[in-house]
Short mmCIF file of all heavy atoms in Angstrom, two decimals:
data_model
loop_
_atom_site.label_atom_id
_atom_site.label_comp_id
_atom_site.label_asym_id
_atom_site.label_seq_id
_atom_site.Cartn_x
_atom_site.Cartn_y
_atom_site.Cartn_z
N ARG A 28 48.71 156.46 281.28
CA ARG A 28 49.96 156.82 280.58
C ARG A 28 49.70 157.36 279.18
O ARG A 28 50.63 157.59 278.40
CB ARG A 28 50.86 155.59 280.47
CG ARG A 28 51.40 155.08 281.79
CD ARG A 28 52.58 155.90 282.27
NE ARG A 28 52.91 155.56 283.65
CZ ARG A 28 53.76 156.26 284.38
NH1 ARG A 28 54.36 157.33 283.88
NH2 ARG A 28 54.01 155.92 285.62
N LYS A 37 58.21 170.10 279.85
CA LYS A 37 57.39 171.07 280.57
C LYS A 37 57.67 170.88 282.07
O LYS A 37 57.96 169.76 282.53
CB LYS A 37 55.90 170.82 280.32
CG LYS A 37 55.50 171.01 278.87
CD LYS A 37 55.45 172.46 278.47
CE LYS A 37 54.96 172.62 277.03
NZ LYS A 37 54.93 174.02 276.62
N SER A 38 57.52 171.95 282.80
CA SER A 38 57.85 171.89 284.22
C SER A 38 56.77 172.56 285.05
O SER A 38 56.13 173.51 284.62
CB SER A 38 59.18 172.59 284.46
OG SER A 38 59.06 173.93 284.05
N ILE A 39 56.57 172.02 286.23
CA ILE A 39 55.61 172.60 287.16
C ILE A 39 56.28 172.82 288.50
O ILE A 39 57.09 171.99 288.93
CB ILE A 39 54.34 171.70 287.31
CG1 ILE A 39 53.30 172.36 288.22
CG2 ILE A 39 54.69 170.31 287.81
CD1 ILE A 39 51.94 171.67 288.21
N CYS A 40 55.97 173.93 289.14
CA CYS A 40 56.48 174.21 290.48
C CYS A 40 55.31 174.19 291.45
O CYS A 40 54.34 174.95 291.28
CB CYS A 40 57.16 175.58 290.50
SG CYS A 40 57.99 175.92 292.07
N LEU A 41 55.39 173.31 292.44
CA LEU A 41 54.33 173.22 293.45
C LEU A 41 54.80 174.00 294.68
O LEU A 41 55.74 173.59 295.35
CB LEU A 41 54.05 171.76 293.81
CG LEU A 41 53.77 170.82 292.63
CD1 LEU A 41 53.48 169.40 293.15
CD2 LEU A 41 52.61 171.33 291.80
N ILE A 42 54.15 175.12 294.94
CA ILE A 42 54.57 176.02 296.00
C ILE A 42 53.68 175.82 297.22
O ILE A 42 52.46 175.98 297.15
CB ILE A 42 54.49 177.48 295.53
CG1 ILE A 42 55.42 177.68 294.34
CG2 ILE A 42 54.83 178.44 296.67
CD1 ILE A 42 55.40 179.09 293.78
N PHE A 43 54.32 175.50 298.34
CA PHE A 43 53.57 175.26 299.58
C PHE A 43 53.90 176.33 300.61
O PHE A 43 55.03 176.43 301.06
CB PHE A 43 53.89 173.87 300.14
CG PHE A 43 53.33 172.78 299.28
CD1 PHE A 43 54.08 172.22 298.26
CD2 PHE A 43 52.03 172.35 299.45
CE1 PHE A 43 53.54 171.25 297.43
CE2 PHE A 43 51.49 171.37 298.63
CZ PHE A 43 52.24 170.82 297.61
N SER A 47 51.35 169.71 303.65
CA SER A 47 50.52 168.95 302.73
C SER A 47 51.05 167.54 302.64
O SER A 47 52.25 167.32 302.67
CB SER A 47 50.60 169.60 301.34
OG SER A 47 50.05 168.76 300.36
N LEU A 48 50.15 166.57 302.53
CA LEU A 48 50.56 165.20 302.26
C LEU A 48 49.95 164.76 300.94
O LEU A 48 50.64 164.60 299.95
CB LEU A 48 50.12 164.28 303.41
CG LEU A 48 50.63 162.84 303.39
CD1 LEU A 48 50.75 162.27 304.80
CD2 LEU A 48 49.74 161.91 302.57
N ARG A 49 48.62 164.60 300.91
CA ARG A 49 47.95 164.12 299.70
C ARG A 49 48.14 165.04 298.50
O ARG A 49 48.39 164.60 297.39
CB ARG A 49 46.45 163.98 299.96
CG ARG A 49 45.98 162.57 300.28
CD ARG A 49 44.69 162.63 301.08
NE ARG A 49 44.99 163.29 302.34
CZ ARG A 49 45.49 162.65 303.39
NH1 ARG A 49 45.66 161.37 303.37
NH2 ARG A 49 45.78 163.30 304.48
N THR A 50 47.95 166.34 298.74
CA THR A 50 48.01 167.29 297.64
C THR A 50 49.41 167.29 297.03
O THR A 50 49.58 167.24 295.82
CB THR A 50 47.65 168.70 298.14
OG1 THR A 50 46.30 168.66 298.60
CG2 THR A 50 47.79 169.72 297.04
N ARG A 51 50.41 167.31 297.90
CA ARG A 51 51.80 167.28 297.46
C ARG A 51 52.09 166.03 296.63
O ARG A 51 52.56 166.10 295.49
CB ARG A 51 52.68 167.28 298.71
CG ARG A 51 54.16 167.07 298.50
CD ARG A 51 54.82 166.85 299.86
NE ARG A 51 54.53 167.93 300.79
CZ ARG A 51 55.29 169.02 300.93
NH1 ARG A 51 56.40 169.14 300.22
NH2 ARG A 51 54.96 169.96 301.78
N LEU A 52 51.75 164.88 297.21
CA LEU A 52 52.15 163.63 296.57
C LEU A 52 51.29 163.34 295.34
O LEU A 52 51.79 162.86 294.33
CB LEU A 52 52.07 162.48 297.57
CG LEU A 52 52.99 162.61 298.80
CD1 LEU A 52 52.79 161.43 299.75
CD2 LEU A 52 54.46 162.71 298.42
N SER A 53 50.00 163.65 295.40
CA SER A 53 49.13 163.31 294.27
C SER A 53 49.38 164.25 293.08
O SER A 53 49.36 163.80 291.93
CB SER A 53 47.65 163.37 294.69
OG SER A 53 47.27 164.67 295.06
N THR A 54 49.64 165.50 293.34
CA THR A 54 49.90 166.43 292.23
C THR A 54 51.25 166.11 291.59
O THR A 54 51.40 166.16 290.36
CB THR A 54 49.84 167.89 292.73
OG1 THR A 54 48.65 168.07 293.50
CG2 THR A 54 49.80 168.86 291.56
N GLN A 55 52.21 165.75 292.43
CA GLN A 55 53.51 165.31 291.93
C GLN A 55 53.35 164.08 291.02
O GLN A 55 53.90 164.03 289.93
CB GLN A 55 54.34 164.94 293.16
CG GLN A 55 55.80 165.20 293.03
CD GLN A 55 56.51 165.14 294.39
OE1 GLN A 55 55.90 165.34 295.44
NE2 GLN A 55 57.79 164.84 294.36
N ARG A 56 52.58 163.11 291.47
CA ARG A 56 52.36 161.90 290.68
C ARG A 56 51.67 162.25 289.36
O ARG A 56 52.00 161.71 288.29
CB ARG A 56 51.50 160.88 291.44
CG ARG A 56 52.13 160.29 292.67
CD ARG A 56 53.36 159.46 292.38
NE ARG A 56 53.06 158.32 291.52
CZ ARG A 56 53.77 158.01 290.45
NH1 ARG A 56 54.80 158.72 290.06
NH2 ARG A 56 53.43 156.96 289.74
N ALA A 57 50.69 163.14 289.42
CA ALA A 57 49.96 163.52 288.21
C ALA A 57 50.91 164.16 287.20
O ALA A 57 50.86 163.86 286.00
CB ALA A 57 48.82 164.48 288.56
N GLY A 58 51.78 165.03 287.69
CA GLY A 58 52.75 165.67 286.80
C GLY A 58 53.67 164.64 286.15
O GLY A 58 53.96 164.69 284.95
N GLU A 59 54.09 163.65 286.93
CA GLU A 59 54.97 162.60 286.41
C GLU A 59 54.24 161.75 285.36
O GLU A 59 54.85 161.33 284.38
CB GLU A 59 55.49 161.73 287.55
CG GLU A 59 56.50 162.47 288.42
CD GLU A 59 56.81 161.74 289.72
OE1 GLU A 59 56.35 160.59 289.90
OE2 GLU A 59 57.50 162.34 290.56
N LEU A 60 52.95 161.49 285.59
CA LEU A 60 52.18 160.70 284.61
C LEU A 60 52.11 161.43 283.27
O LEU A 60 51.95 160.80 282.22
CB LEU A 60 50.76 160.45 285.13
CG LEU A 60 50.63 159.43 286.26
CD1 LEU A 60 49.21 159.45 286.82
CD2 LEU A 60 50.99 158.02 285.79
N LEU A 61 52.23 162.75 283.31
CA LEU A 61 52.21 163.54 282.08
C LEU A 61 53.63 163.83 281.56
O LEU A 61 53.80 164.59 280.61
CB LEU A 61 51.46 164.85 282.31
CG LEU A 61 49.95 164.68 282.53
CD1 LEU A 61 49.36 165.91 283.19
CD2 LEU A 61 49.25 164.40 281.19
N GLY A 62 54.63 163.22 282.20
CA GLY A 62 56.01 163.38 281.74
C GLY A 62 56.64 164.71 282.08
O GLY A 62 57.68 165.07 281.52
N MET A 63 56.06 165.44 283.04
CA MET A 63 56.60 166.76 283.41
C MET A 63 57.74 166.65 284.41
O MET A 63 57.84 165.68 285.16
CB MET A 63 55.50 167.61 284.07
CG MET A 63 54.26 167.78 283.24
SD MET A 63 53.10 168.92 284.07
CE MET A 63 53.84 170.50 283.61
N ASN A 64 58.57 167.68 284.46
CA ASN A 64 59.50 167.88 285.56
C ASN A 64 58.73 168.57 286.69
O ASN A 64 58.15 169.64 286.47
CB ASN A 64 60.66 168.79 285.14
CG ASN A 64 61.66 168.05 284.28
OD1 ASN A 64 62.04 166.92 284.57
ND2 ASN A 64 62.09 168.69 283.20
N VAL A 65 58.73 167.96 287.86
CA VAL A 65 57.97 168.49 288.98
C VAL A 65 58.92 168.98 290.07
O VAL A 65 59.77 168.22 290.54
CB VAL A 65 57.03 167.43 289.59
CG1 VAL A 65 56.20 168.03 290.71
CG2 VAL A 65 56.14 166.82 288.52
N THR A 66 58.79 170.23 290.45
CA THR A 66 59.59 170.80 291.53
C THR A 66 58.68 171.17 292.68
O THR A 66 57.67 171.84 292.49
CB THR A 66 60.30 172.07 291.03
OG1 THR A 66 61.25 171.69 290.04
CG2 THR A 66 61.01 172.80 292.15
N VAL A 67 59.04 170.72 293.86
CA VAL A 67 58.29 171.07 295.06
C VAL A 67 59.07 172.13 295.82
O VAL A 67 60.27 171.99 296.03
CB VAL A 67 58.07 169.84 295.96
CG1 VAL A 67 57.46 170.23 297.29
CG2 VAL A 67 57.17 168.83 295.24
N PHE A 68 58.41 173.20 296.20
CA PHE A 68 59.10 174.30 296.87
C PHE A 68 58.29 174.73 298.09
O PHE A 68 57.18 175.25 297.97
CB PHE A 68 59.25 175.47 295.88
CG PHE A 68 60.02 176.64 296.41
CD1 PHE A 68 61.12 176.45 297.24
CD2 PHE A 68 59.67 177.94 296.08
CE1 PHE A 68 61.84 177.53 297.73
CE2 PHE A 68 60.39 179.03 296.57
CZ PHE A 68 61.48 178.81 297.39
N ASN A 69 58.85 174.48 299.28
CA ASN A 69 58.23 174.89 300.53
C ASN A 69 58.65 176.33 300.79
O ASN A 69 59.65 176.59 301.46
CB ASN A 69 58.68 173.97 301.66
CG ASN A 69 58.33 172.53 301.40
OD1 ASN A 69 57.18 172.20 301.15
ND2 ASN A 69 59.33 171.66 301.43
N GLY A 108 51.54 175.52 290.89
CA GLY A 108 50.52 175.14 291.86
C GLY A 108 50.77 175.89 293.16
O GLY A 108 51.92 176.08 293.55
N VAL A 139 47.34 176.53 289.42
CA VAL A 139 46.46 175.52 290.01
C VAL A 139 46.29 175.82 291.50
O VAL A 139 47.28 175.93 292.22
CB VAL A 139 47.04 174.10 289.87
CG1 VAL A 139 46.06 173.07 290.43
CG2 VAL A 139 47.38 173.78 288.43
N MET A 141 45.94 174.61 294.92
CA MET A 141 46.17 173.36 295.68
C MET A 141 45.64 173.52 297.11
O MET A 141 46.14 172.88 298.04
CB MET A 141 47.65 173.02 295.70
CG MET A 141 48.26 172.81 294.31
SD MET A 141 49.85 171.93 294.35
CE MET A 141 50.82 173.03 295.41
N LEU A 149 40.67 170.94 293.65
CA LEU A 149 41.18 169.61 293.28
C LEU A 149 40.52 168.54 294.15
O LEU A 149 40.23 167.44 293.69
CB LEU A 149 42.70 169.54 293.44
CG LEU A 149 43.54 170.25 292.38
CD1 LEU A 149 45.02 170.22 292.77
CD2 LEU A 149 43.36 169.61 290.99
N ALA A 298 41.07 159.74 297.93
CA ALA A 298 42.50 160.09 297.90
C ALA A 298 43.13 159.67 296.57
O ALA A 298 43.93 160.41 295.98
CB ALA A 298 43.23 159.44 299.07
N ARG A 301 42.46 162.01 293.85
CA ARG A 301 43.22 163.26 293.85
C ARG A 301 44.25 163.25 292.71
O ARG A 301 44.50 164.29 292.09
CB ARG A 301 43.92 163.48 295.21
CG ARG A 301 42.96 163.77 296.37
CD ARG A 301 42.25 165.10 296.15
NE ARG A 301 43.18 166.16 295.87
CZ ARG A 301 43.84 166.86 296.79
NH1 ARG A 301 43.63 166.64 298.06
NH2 ARG A 301 44.69 167.80 296.43
N VAL A 302 44.86 162.09 292.47
CA VAL A 302 45.78 161.99 291.33
C VAL A 302 45.01 162.24 290.04
O VAL A 302 45.45 163.00 289.17
CB VAL A 302 46.47 160.61 291.28
CG1 VAL A 302 47.38 160.51 290.05
CG2 VAL A 302 47.27 160.33 292.55
N THR A 303 43.85 161.60 289.91
CA THR A 303 43.04 161.74 288.69
C THR A 303 42.61 163.19 288.47
O THR A 303 42.66 163.70 287.34
CB THR A 303 41.80 160.83 288.78
OG1 THR A 303 42.24 159.50 289.09
CG2 THR A 303 41.03 160.83 287.49
N ALA A 304 42.20 163.86 289.55
CA ALA A 304 41.77 165.26 289.44
C ALA A 304 42.93 166.13 288.98
O ALA A 304 42.79 166.94 288.05
CB ALA A 304 41.22 165.74 290.78
N ALA A 305 44.08 165.98 289.62
CA ALA A 305 45.24 166.79 289.21
C ALA A 305 45.67 166.44 287.79
O ALA A 305 46.07 167.30 287.00
CB ALA A 305 46.40 166.57 290.19
N HIS A 306 45.54 165.17 287.45
CA HIS A 306 45.93 164.67 286.13
C HIS A 306 45.13 165.37 285.03
O HIS A 306 45.70 165.90 284.07
CB HIS A 306 45.69 163.15 286.13
CG HIS A 306 46.42 162.40 285.07
ND1 HIS A 306 46.47 161.02 285.04
CD2 HIS A 306 47.12 162.79 283.98
CE1 HIS A 306 47.16 160.62 284.00
NE2 HIS A 306 47.57 161.67 283.34
N LEU A 309 45.95 169.27 284.95
CA LEU A 309 47.25 169.58 284.33
C LEU A 309 47.22 169.28 282.83
O LEU A 309 47.81 170.01 282.02
CB LEU A 309 48.38 168.80 285.02
CG LEU A 309 48.62 169.16 286.48
CD1 LEU A 309 49.82 168.37 287.02
CD2 LEU A 309 48.87 170.65 286.66
N LYS B 37 57.70 153.43 287.48
CA LYS B 37 57.54 153.03 288.88
C LYS B 37 58.00 154.19 289.76
O LYS B 37 58.89 154.95 289.38
CB LYS B 37 58.40 151.79 289.18
CG LYS B 37 58.01 150.56 288.38
CD LYS B 37 56.72 149.95 288.88
CE LYS B 37 56.39 148.67 288.09
NZ LYS B 37 55.15 148.06 288.57
N SER B 38 57.41 154.27 290.93
CA SER B 38 57.73 155.39 291.79
C SER B 38 57.97 154.91 293.21
O SER B 38 57.37 153.94 293.67
CB SER B 38 56.56 156.38 291.78
OG SER B 38 55.41 155.74 292.25
N ILE B 39 58.86 155.61 293.88
CA ILE B 39 59.14 155.30 295.29
C ILE B 39 59.04 156.58 296.10
O ILE B 39 59.43 157.65 295.63
CB ILE B 39 60.55 154.66 295.45
CG1 ILE B 39 60.80 154.27 296.91
CG2 ILE B 39 61.65 155.55 294.93
CD1 ILE B 39 62.03 153.40 297.11
N CYS B 40 58.48 156.46 297.28
CA CYS B 40 58.39 157.59 298.21
C CYS B 40 59.28 157.30 299.41
O CYS B 40 59.10 156.30 300.09
CB CYS B 40 56.95 157.80 298.67
SG CYS B 40 56.72 159.29 299.65
N LEU B 41 60.26 158.17 299.64
CA LEU B 41 61.16 158.01 300.78
C LEU B 41 60.67 158.93 301.89
O LEU B 41 60.73 160.15 301.78
CB LEU B 41 62.59 158.37 300.39
CG LEU B 41 63.14 157.67 299.15
CD1 LEU B 41 64.59 158.09 298.90
CD2 LEU B 41 63.04 156.15 299.29
N GLN B 55 67.99 157.55 296.96
CA GLN B 55 67.55 158.34 295.81
C GLN B 55 68.37 157.97 294.56
O GLN B 55 67.81 157.73 293.49
CB GLN B 55 67.81 159.81 296.18
CG GLN B 55 66.84 160.78 295.61
CD GLN B 55 66.97 162.15 296.29
OE1 GLN B 55 67.40 162.27 297.43
NE2 GLN B 55 66.58 163.18 295.57
N MET B 63 63.51 154.85 288.29
CA MET B 63 62.29 155.17 289.03
C MET B 63 62.11 156.68 289.21
O MET B 63 63.08 157.42 289.21
CB MET B 63 62.33 154.53 290.42
CG MET B 63 62.57 153.05 290.43
SD MET B 63 62.45 152.40 292.12
CE MET B 63 60.65 152.31 292.32
N ASN B 64 60.87 157.09 289.44
CA ASN B 64 60.58 158.41 289.96
C ASN B 64 60.73 158.35 291.48
O ASN B 64 60.08 157.54 292.13
CB ASN B 64 59.14 158.83 289.64
CG ASN B 64 58.98 159.24 288.20
OD1 ASN B 64 59.80 159.98 287.65
ND2 ASN B 64 57.93 158.75 287.56
N VAL B 65 61.59 159.20 292.02
CA VAL B 65 61.86 159.19 293.45
C VAL B 65 61.33 160.46 294.10
O VAL B 65 61.67 161.56 293.68
CB VAL B 65 63.38 159.09 293.72
CG1 VAL B 65 63.64 159.01 295.22
CG2 VAL B 65 63.99 157.90 293.00
N THR B 66 60.48 160.28 295.10
CA THR B 66 59.94 161.41 295.86
C THR B 66 60.44 161.34 297.29
O THR B 66 60.33 160.30 297.92
CB THR B 66 58.40 161.35 295.86
OG1 THR B 66 57.94 161.56 294.53
CG2 THR B 66 57.80 162.40 296.77
N VAL B 67 60.98 162.44 297.77
CA VAL B 67 61.43 162.51 299.16
C VAL B 67 60.40 163.31 299.95
O VAL B 67 59.99 164.39 299.52
CB VAL B 67 62.81 163.18 299.25
CG1 VAL B 67 63.18 163.44 300.70
CG2 VAL B 67 63.86 162.30 298.58
N PHE B 68 59.97 162.78 301.06
CA PHE B 68 58.93 163.44 301.85
C PHE B 68 59.35 163.48 303.33
O PHE B 68 59.46 162.44 303.98
CB PHE B 68 57.62 162.67 301.69
CG PHE B 68 56.43 163.31 302.37
CD1 PHE B 68 56.28 164.69 302.40
CD2 PHE B 68 55.45 162.54 302.96
CE1 PHE B 68 55.19 165.29 303.01
CE2 PHE B 68 54.35 163.12 303.58
CZ PHE B 68 54.23 164.50 303.60
N ASN B 69 59.64 164.68 303.82
CA ASN B 69 59.99 164.87 305.23
C ASN B 69 58.68 165.02 305.99
O ASN B 69 58.18 166.11 306.20
CB ASN B 69 60.85 166.13 305.37
CG ASN B 69 62.11 166.04 304.57
OD1 ASN B 69 62.88 165.08 304.69
ND2 ASN B 69 62.34 167.02 303.71
N GLU B 73 57.04 168.61 306.47
CA GLU B 73 56.24 169.02 305.32
C GLU B 73 54.80 168.56 305.46
O GLU B 73 53.93 169.05 304.75
CB GLU B 73 56.85 168.45 304.04
CG GLU B 73 58.28 168.90 303.80
CD GLU B 73 58.86 168.28 302.54
OE1 GLU B 73 58.64 167.08 302.28
OE2 GLU B 73 59.57 169.01 301.83
N ILE B 100 49.43 156.70 300.84
CA ILE B 100 50.76 156.74 300.22
C ILE B 100 51.00 155.45 299.44
O ILE B 100 51.57 155.46 298.35
CB ILE B 100 51.85 156.98 301.29
CG1 ILE B 100 51.59 158.33 301.98
CG2 ILE B 100 53.24 156.98 300.67
CD1 ILE B 100 52.48 158.62 303.19
N TYR B 103 49.55 155.70 296.09
CA TYR B 103 50.23 156.63 295.18
C TYR B 103 51.55 156.07 294.64
O TYR B 103 52.00 156.48 293.58
CB TYR B 103 50.53 157.96 295.88
CG TYR B 103 49.33 158.83 296.20
CD1 TYR B 103 49.47 159.92 297.05
CD2 TYR B 103 48.07 158.58 295.66
CE1 TYR B 103 48.39 160.75 297.34
CE2 TYR B 103 46.99 159.39 295.96
CZ TYR B 103 47.15 160.47 296.80
OH TYR B 103 46.09 161.27 297.11
N PHE B 104 52.21 155.21 295.44
CA PHE B 104 53.57 154.79 295.10
C PHE B 104 53.69 153.27 295.02
O PHE B 104 52.91 152.56 295.65
CB PHE B 104 54.56 155.34 296.14
CG PHE B 104 54.67 156.83 296.09
CD1 PHE B 104 53.85 157.63 296.88
CD2 PHE B 104 55.55 157.45 295.22
CE1 PHE B 104 53.92 159.02 296.81
CE2 PHE B 104 55.63 158.83 295.14
CZ PHE B 104 54.81 159.62 295.94
N GLN C 55 68.18 174.24 289.31
CA GLN C 55 67.40 173.02 289.07
C GLN C 55 66.93 172.97 287.60
O GLN C 55 67.08 171.96 286.93
CB GLN C 55 66.19 173.08 289.99
CG GLN C 55 65.72 171.76 290.51
CD GLN C 55 64.74 171.94 291.67
OE1 GLN C 55 64.78 172.94 292.39
NE2 GLN C 55 63.90 170.96 291.86
N GLU C 59 67.98 170.31 284.57
CA GLU C 59 66.97 169.57 283.80
C GLU C 59 67.12 169.83 282.30
O GLU C 59 66.93 168.91 281.49
CB GLU C 59 65.56 169.96 284.26
CG GLU C 59 65.24 169.42 285.65
CD GLU C 59 63.99 170.04 286.27
OE1 GLU C 59 63.28 170.77 285.56
OE2 GLU C 59 63.74 169.78 287.46
N VAL C 65 68.52 165.98 289.24
CA VAL C 65 68.83 167.07 290.17
C VAL C 65 68.27 166.75 291.55
O VAL C 65 67.08 166.48 291.69
CB VAL C 65 68.23 168.41 289.68
CG1 VAL C 65 68.61 169.53 290.64
CG2 VAL C 65 68.67 168.73 288.27
#
Side-chain angles (χ1 to χ4, degrees):
Chain A
R28 293 280 170 191
K37 297 285 183 181
S38 59
I39 184 169
C40 187
L41 308 181
I42 299 179
F43 291 91
S47 168
L48 188 151
R49 262 156 297 276
T50 297
R51 172 190 306 268
L52 299 178
S53 64
T54 312
Q55 213 166 336
R56 294 296 299 132
E59 289 168 7
L60 287 171
L61 291 161
M63 305 185 80
N64 284 316
V65 183
T66 294
V67 172
F68 184 37
N69 301 305
V139 183
M141 300 197 302
L149 285 174
R301 291 295 308 276
V302 178
T303 307
H306 199 170
L309 295 183
Chain B
K37 298 286 183 179
S38 60
I39 183 169
C40 187
L41 308 182
Q55 213 166 334
M63 305 185 79
N64 284 315
V65 182
T66 293
V67 171
F68 185 37
N69 301 306
E73 300 179 319
I100 300 172
Y103 290 168
F104 293 91
Chain C
Q55 214 166 333
E59 289 167 8
V65 183

